[in-house]
Amino acid sequence: MRKITITLEESLIEALSKTAIRTGLKKTQIIREALKSHLANMQKEKLQKEWLENNESSIDAYNRYIKKEGIFGEA
């Protein structure tokens, strides 16, 4: 593990302090968990965007088919 120094706005520091008191966690642990969560969400969004881009033509073709033929079993 490596150390880094960050600068935060006063309002974030206050919120962090309140959260630390309320949860009993260390401020560094709260920041670490928040950053991990944020980075995981960013990766998930990136993968979703890539999937949509890679499958856009298939999705469009399927939607055209459904519009023309209807949904199976729909009368």
Side-chain angles (χ1 to χ4, degrees):
M1 196 176 311
R2 290 179 44 194
K3 289 185 177 186
I4 63 168
T5 301
I6 60 171
T7 303
L8 300 173
E9 293 87 2
E10 188 63 35
S11 60
L12 286 175
I13 294 171
E14 289 174 16
L16 181 59
S17 294
K18 288 177 184 177
T19 302
I21 291 169
R22 188 179 72 248
T23 62
L25 300 173
K26 292 183 177 183
K27 293 176 190 174
T28 54
Q29 185 177 0
I30 296 168
I31 292 170
R32 189 179 308 111
E33 289 175 8
L35 184 56
K36 283 181 182 179
S37 177
H38 178 72
L39 293 174
N41 287 337
M42 287 179 62
Q43 179 65 17
K44 182 179 176 182
E45 289 174 9
K46 178 181 178 255
L47 292 173
Q48 288 173 336
K49 182 179 177 186
E50 288 174 359
W51 186 90
L52 284 173
E53 289 172 355
N54 292 337
N55 293 286
E56 183 176 20
S57 62
S58 297
I59 293 168
D60 289 343
Y62 178 75
N63 287 336
R64 285 191 304 275
Y65 175 83
I66 294 298
K67 188 174 183 178
K68 179 181 174 188
E69 302 294 330
I71 298 172
F72 176 76
E74 189 177 66

mmCIF file of all heavy atoms in Angstrom, residues 44-66:
data_model
loop_
_atom_site.group_PDB
_atom_site.id
_atom_site.type_symbol
_atom_site.label_atom_id
_atom_site.label_comp_id
_atom_site.label_asym_id
_atom_site.label_seq_id
_atom_site.Cartn_x
_atom_site.Cartn_y
_atom_site.Cartn_z
ATOM 1 N N LYS A 44 -18.019 -0.312 -14.324
ATOM 2 C CA LYS A 44 -19.284 -0.933 -14.713
ATOM 3 C C LYS A 44 -19.959 -0.115 -15.817
ATOM 4 O O LYS A 44 -20.436 -0.669 -16.806
ATOM 5 C CB LYS A 44 -20.206 -1.042 -13.496
ATOM 6 C CG LYS A 44 -21.524 -1.703 -13.776
ATOM 7 C CD LYS A 44 -22.364 -1.783 -12.505
ATOM 8 C CE LYS A 44 -23.734 -2.363 -12.794
ATOM 9 N NZ LYS A 44 -24.578 -2.396 -11.595
ATOM 10 N N GLU A 45 -19.995 1.202 -15.653
ATOM 11 C CA GLU A 45 -20.587 2.077 -16.666
ATOM 12 C C GLU A 45 -19.834 1.973 -17.985
ATOM 13 O O GLU A 45 -20.446 1.959 -19.056
ATOM 14 C CB GLU A 45 -20.609 3.521 -16.175
ATOM 15 C CG GLU A 45 -21.611 3.774 -15.076
ATOM 16 C CD GLU A 45 -21.528 5.178 -14.505
ATOM 17 O OE1 GLU A 45 -20.801 6.030 -15.056
ATOM 18 O OE2 GLU A 45 -22.194 5.419 -13.473
ATOM 19 N N LYS A 46 -18.503 1.887 -17.912
ATOM 20 C CA LYS A 46 -17.685 1.754 -19.117
ATOM 21 C C LYS A 46 -18.017 0.448 -19.841
ATOM 22 O O LYS A 46 -18.197 0.437 -21.070
ATOM 23 C CB LYS A 46 -16.207 1.797 -18.752
ATOM 24 C CG LYS A 46 -15.268 1.631 -19.921
ATOM 25 C CD LYS A 46 -13.807 1.655 -19.455
ATOM 26 C CE LYS A 46 -12.883 1.447 -20.618
ATOM 27 N NZ LYS A 46 -12.306 0.120 -20.664
ATOM 28 N N LEU A 47 -18.118 -0.635 -19.094
ATOM 29 C CA LEU A 47 -18.437 -1.932 -19.696
ATOM 30 C C LEU A 47 -19.839 -1.930 -20.294
ATOM 31 O O LEU A 47 -20.061 -2.495 -21.367
ATOM 32 C CB LEU A 47 -18.297 -3.049 -18.664
ATOM 33 C CG LEU A 47 -16.882 -3.345 -18.194
ATOM 34 C CD1 LEU A 47 -16.898 -4.351 -17.044
ATOM 35 C CD2 LEU A 47 -16.010 -3.836 -19.333
ATOM 36 N N GLN A 48 -20.796 -1.294 -19.618
ATOM 37 C CA GLN A 48 -22.150 -1.202 -20.150
ATOM 38 C C GLN A 48 -22.172 -0.408 -21.451
ATOM 39 O O GLN A 48 -22.832 -0.807 -22.419
ATOM 40 C CB GLN A 48 -23.087 -0.539 -19.130
ATOM 41 C CG GLN A 48 -23.409 -1.409 -17.946
ATOM 42 C CD GLN A 48 -24.200 -0.672 -16.883
ATOM 43 O OE1 GLN A 48 -24.156 0.562 -16.773
ATOM 44 N NE2 GLN A 48 -24.913 -1.425 -16.057
ATOM 45 N N LYS A 49 -21.459 0.702 -21.483
ATOM 46 C CA LYS A 49 -21.396 1.529 -22.690
ATOM 47 C C LYS A 49 -20.764 0.750 -23.844
ATOM 48 O O LYS A 49 -21.268 0.775 -24.968
ATOM 49 C CB LYS A 49 -20.593 2.798 -22.407
ATOM 50 C CG LYS A 49 -20.512 3.740 -23.579
ATOM 51 C CD LYS A 49 -19.721 4.996 -23.235
ATOM 52 C CE LYS A 49 -19.618 5.873 -24.468
ATOM 53 N NZ LYS A 49 -18.762 7.021 -24.247
ATOM 54 N N GLU A 50 -19.664 0.039 -23.550
ATOM 55 C CA GLU A 50 -19.010 -0.762 -24.586
ATOM 56 C C GLU A 50 -19.939 -1.854 -25.097
ATOM 57 O O GLU A 50 -20.001 -2.105 -26.299
ATOM 58 C CB GLU A 50 -17.721 -1.387 -24.042
ATOM 59 C CG GLU A 50 -16.600 -0.403 -23.844
ATOM 60 C CD GLU A 50 -15.375 -1.015 -23.173
ATOM 61 O OE1 GLU A 50 -15.389 -2.225 -22.834
ATOM 62 O OE2 GLU A 50 -14.399 -0.266 -22.974
ATOM 63 N N TRP A 51 -20.668 -2.504 -24.189
ATOM 64 C CA TRP A 51 -21.589 -3.563 -24.596
ATOM 65 C C TRP A 51 -22.662 -3.000 -25.519
ATOM 66 O O TRP A 51 -22.965 -3.591 -26.560
ATOM 67 C CB TRP A 51 -22.228 -4.219 -23.373
ATOM 68 C CG TRP A 51 -23.073 -5.404 -23.737
ATOM 69 C CD1 TRP A 51 -22.667 -6.690 -23.827
ATOM 70 C CD2 TRP A 51 -24.465 -5.386 -24.084
ATOM 71 N NE1 TRP A 51 -23.725 -7.488 -24.210
ATOM 72 C CE2 TRP A 51 -24.844 -6.706 -24.375
ATOM 73 C CE3 TRP A 51 -25.431 -4.384 -24.175
ATOM 74 C CZ2 TRP A 51 -26.132 -7.050 -24.751
ATOM 75 C CZ3 TRP A 51 -26.718 -4.733 -24.555
ATOM 76 C CH2 TRP A 51 -27.058 -6.044 -24.834
ATOM 77 N N LEU A 52 -23.234 -1.843 -25.134
ATOM 78 C CA LEU A 52 -24.261 -1.228 -25.980
ATOM 79 C C LEU A 52 -23.708 -0.855 -27.350
ATOM 80 O O LEU A 52 -24.360 -1.080 -28.370
ATOM 81 C CB LEU A 52 -24.850 0.002 -25.292
ATOM 82 C CG LEU A 52 -25.823 -0.273 -24.160
ATOM 83 C CD1 LEU A 52 -26.205 1.019 -23.442
ATOM 84 C CD2 LEU A 52 -27.070 -0.984 -24.660
ATOM 85 N N GLU A 53 -22.502 -0.292 -27.377
ATOM 86 C CA GLU A 53 -21.889 0.079 -28.649
ATOM 87 C C GLU A 53 -21.624 -1.161 -29.508
ATOM 88 O O GLU A 53 -21.882 -1.147 -30.714
ATOM 89 C CB GLU A 53 -20.589 0.842 -28.414
ATOM 90 C CG GLU A 53 -20.796 2.239 -27.876
ATOM 91 C CD GLU A 53 -19.503 2.915 -27.455
ATOM 92 O OE1 GLU A 53 -18.427 2.286 -27.482
ATOM 93 O OE2 GLU A 53 -19.576 4.104 -27.062
ATOM 94 N N ASN A 54 -21.140 -2.231 -28.895
ATOM 95 C CA ASN A 54 -20.825 -3.457 -29.631
ATOM 96 C C ASN A 54 -22.072 -4.179 -30.123
ATOM 97 O O ASN A 54 -21.998 -4.949 -31.084
ATOM 98 C CB ASN A 54 -19.997 -4.411 -28.772
ATOM 99 C CG ASN A 54 -18.608 -3.895 -28.491
ATOM 100 O OD1 ASN A 54 -18.085 -3.061 -29.230
ATOM 101 N ND2 ASN A 54 -18.007 -4.356 -27.411
ATOM 102 N N ASN A 55 -23.198 -3.963 -29.471
ATOM 103 C CA ASN A 55 -24.425 -4.681 -29.814
ATOM 104 C C ASN A 55 -25.508 -3.787 -30.407
ATOM 105 O O ASN A 55 -26.633 -4.240 -30.605
ATOM 106 C CB ASN A 55 -24.957 -5.398 -28.568
ATOM 107 C CG ASN A 55 -24.033 -6.506 -28.133
ATOM 108 O OD1 ASN A 55 -23.977 -7.550 -28.764
ATOM 109 N ND2 ASN A 55 -23.275 -6.263 -27.077
ATOM 110 N N GLU A 56 -25.159 -2.560 -30.717
ATOM 111 C CA GLU A 56 -26.141 -1.593 -31.204
ATOM 112 C C GLU A 56 -26.846 -2.073 -32.470
ATOM 113 O O GLU A 56 -28.073 -1.991 -32.575
ATOM 114 C CB GLU A 56 -25.472 -0.241 -31.458
ATOM 115 C CG GLU A 56 -26.441 0.835 -31.893
ATOM 116 C CD GLU A 56 -25.774 2.189 -32.043
ATOM 117 O OE1 GLU A 56 -24.532 2.239 -32.181
ATOM 118 O OE2 GLU A 56 -26.500 3.178 -32.031
ATOM 119 N N SER A 57 -26.104 -2.599 -33.423
ATOM 120 C CA SER A 57 -26.736 -3.027 -34.683
ATOM 121 C C SER A 57 -27.681 -4.210 -34.445
ATOM 122 O O SER A 57 -28.765 -4.275 -35.040
ATOM 123 C CB SER A 57 -25.685 -3.369 -35.734
ATOM 124 O OG SER A 57 -24.880 -4.441 -35.292
ATOM 125 N N SER A 58 -27.303 -5.124 -33.575
ATOM 126 C CA SER A 58 -28.177 -6.262 -33.266
ATOM 127 C C SER A 58 -29.440 -5.814 -32.539
ATOM 128 O O SER A 58 -30.544 -6.307 -32.824
ATOM 129 C CB SER A 58 -27.439 -7.284 -32.406
ATOM 130 O OG SER A 58 -26.338 -7.809 -33.109
ATOM 131 N N ILE A 59 -29.293 -4.886 -31.620
ATOM 132 C CA ILE A 59 -30.448 -4.363 -30.888
ATOM 133 C C ILE A 59 -31.387 -3.647 -31.842
ATOM 134 O O ILE A 59 -32.613 -3.848 -31.794
ATOM 135 C CB ILE A 59 -29.988 -3.426 -29.740
ATOM 136 C CG1 ILE A 59 -29.240 -4.227 -28.674
ATOM 137 C CG2 ILE A 59 -31.189 -2.691 -29.126
ATOM 138 C CD1 ILE A 59 -28.501 -3.369 -27.664
ATOM 139 N N ASP A 60 -30.830 -2.840 -32.738
ATOM 140 C CA ASP A 60 -31.651 -2.134 -33.726
ATOM 141 C C ASP A 60 -32.384 -3.118 -34.636
ATOM 142 O O ASP A 60 -33.574 -2.943 -34.935
ATOM 143 C CB ASP A 60 -30.796 -1.178 -34.559
ATOM 144 C CG ASP A 60 -30.325 0.031 -33.778
ATOM 145 O OD1 ASP A 60 -30.900 0.317 -32.700
ATOM 146 O OD2 ASP A 60 -29.367 0.683 -34.233
ATOM 147 N N ALA A 61 -31.682 -4.159 -35.087
ATOM 148 C CA ALA A 61 -32.299 -5.165 -35.955
ATOM 149 C C ALA A 61 -33.431 -5.875 -35.222
ATOM 150 O O ALA A 61 -34.513 -6.102 -35.787
ATOM 151 C CB ALA A 61 -31.249 -6.171 -36.427
ATOM 152 N N TYR A 62 -33.218 -6.232 -33.975
ATOM 153 C CA TYR A 62 -34.248 -6.904 -33.184
ATOM 154 C C TYR A 62 -35.458 -5.990 -33.001
ATOM 155 O O TYR A 62 -36.601 -6.413 -33.148
ATOM 156 C CB TYR A 62 -33.687 -7.328 -31.827
ATOM 157 C CG TYR A 62 -34.709 -7.992 -30.949
ATOM 158 C CD1 TYR A 62 -35.121 -9.300 -31.197
ATOM 159 C CD2 TYR A 62 -35.284 -7.312 -29.880
ATOM 160 C CE1 TYR A 62 -36.078 -9.914 -30.401
ATOM 161 C CE2 TYR A 62 -36.234 -7.918 -29.077
ATOM 162 C CZ TYR A 62 -36.633 -9.219 -29.333
ATOM 163 O OH TYR A 62 -37.578 -9.808 -28.550
ATOM 164 N N ASN A 63 -35.211 -4.721 -32.689
ATOM 165 C CA ASN A 63 -36.314 -3.776 -32.514
ATOM 166 C C ASN A 63 -37.110 -3.601 -33.802
ATOM 167 O O ASN A 63 -38.340 -3.503 -33.773
ATOM 168 C CB ASN A 63 -35.797 -2.435 -31.999
ATOM 169 C CG ASN A 63 -35.386 -2.493 -30.544
ATOM 170 O OD1 ASN A 63 -35.853 -3.338 -29.793
ATOM 171 N ND2 ASN A 63 -34.492 -1.599 -30.144
ATOM 172 N N ARG A 64 -36.428 -3.559 -34.945
ATOM 173 C CA ARG A 64 -37.128 -3.467 -36.229
ATOM 174 C C ARG A 64 -37.989 -4.717 -36.465
ATOM 175 O O ARG A 64 -39.124 -4.627 -36.925
ATOM 176 C CB ARG A 64 -36.140 -3.274 -37.382
ATOM 177 C CG ARG A 64 -35.567 -1.869 -37.479
ATOM 178 C CD ARG A 64 -34.810 -1.652 -38.785
ATOM 179 N NE ARG A 64 -33.739 -2.620 -38.998
ATOM 180 C CZ ARG A 64 -32.504 -2.524 -38.525
ATOM 181 N NH1 ARG A 64 -32.166 -1.464 -37.784
ATOM 182 N NH2 ARG A 64 -31.597 -3.439 -38.788
ATOM 183 N N TYR A 65 -37.430 -5.875 -36.138
ATOM 184 C CA TYR A 65 -38.160 -7.135 -36.297
ATOM 185 C C TYR A 65 -39.415 -7.148 -35.433
ATOM 186 O O TYR A 65 -40.505 -7.511 -35.895
ATOM 187 C CB TYR A 65 -37.252 -8.321 -35.946
ATOM 188 C CG TYR A 65 -37.977 -9.640 -35.967
ATOM 189 C CD1 TYR A 65 -38.177 -10.321 -37.161
ATOM 190 C CD2 TYR A 65 -38.475 -10.197 -34.791
ATOM 191 C CE1 TYR A 65 -38.863 -11.527 -37.192
ATOM 192 C CE2 TYR A 65 -39.152 -11.401 -34.805
ATOM 193 C CZ TYR A 65 -39.350 -12.068 -36.001
ATOM 194 O OH TYR A 65 -40.028 -13.248 -36.029
ATOM 195 N N ILE A 66 -39.285 -6.759 -34.178
ATOM 196 C CA ILE A 66 -40.421 -6.734 -33.261
ATOM 197 C C ILE A 66 -41.473 -5.743 -33.749
ATOM 198 O O ILE A 66 -42.677 -6.022 -33.690
ATOM 199 C CB ILE A 66 -39.974 -6.393 -31.820
ATOM 200 C CG1 ILE A 66 -39.098 -7.495 -31.254
ATOM 201 C CG2 ILE A 66 -41.165 -6.112 -30.911
ATOM 202 C CD1 ILE A 66 -39.768 -8.849 -31.130
#
